Amino acid sequence: MALIVISPVVGIIPGPGGIPVFAAGLALALRNSDRAKRLFVRAKRRWPKLGALADLGLRRGSAKRRRAKAKAG
């Protein structure tokens, strides 16, 4: 959670520094928090295209298996 809170402070510095810090914080929260996982699944169901992009960015193994299964079937 600290990375998510710090990202606006880092975002003030010139360059895209806040975006990777925020993304890293979200990835860590998703791996370690059941509540974050439930919110992520709910958001993916509501916005499937954005969810697919998030899966690519997070390099989620479950998303890779789903894509491989869809290509094969």
Side-chain angles (χ1 to χ4, degrees), residues 3-66:
L3 290 175
I4 295 172
V5 172
I6 283 178
S7 64
V9 175
V10 176
I12 294 172
I13 300 170
I19 296 168
V21 172
F22 185 75
L26 283 179
L28 285 173
L30 194 61
R31 289 197 179 259
N32 297 311
S33 171
D34 290 333
R35 182 172 181 246
K37 289 176 189 176
R38 285 192 302 271
L39 289 172
F40 180 70
V41 168
R42 194 178 314 152
K44 279 179 49 174
R45 287 182 183 150
R46 186 168 182 178
W47 301 291
K49 289 182 182 180
L50 292 176
L53 290 174
D55 282 339
L56 284 174
L58 295 170
R59 298 181 181 187
R60 295 179 50 94
S62 59
K64 290 178 186 177
R65 288 190 297 273
R66 276 194 301 277

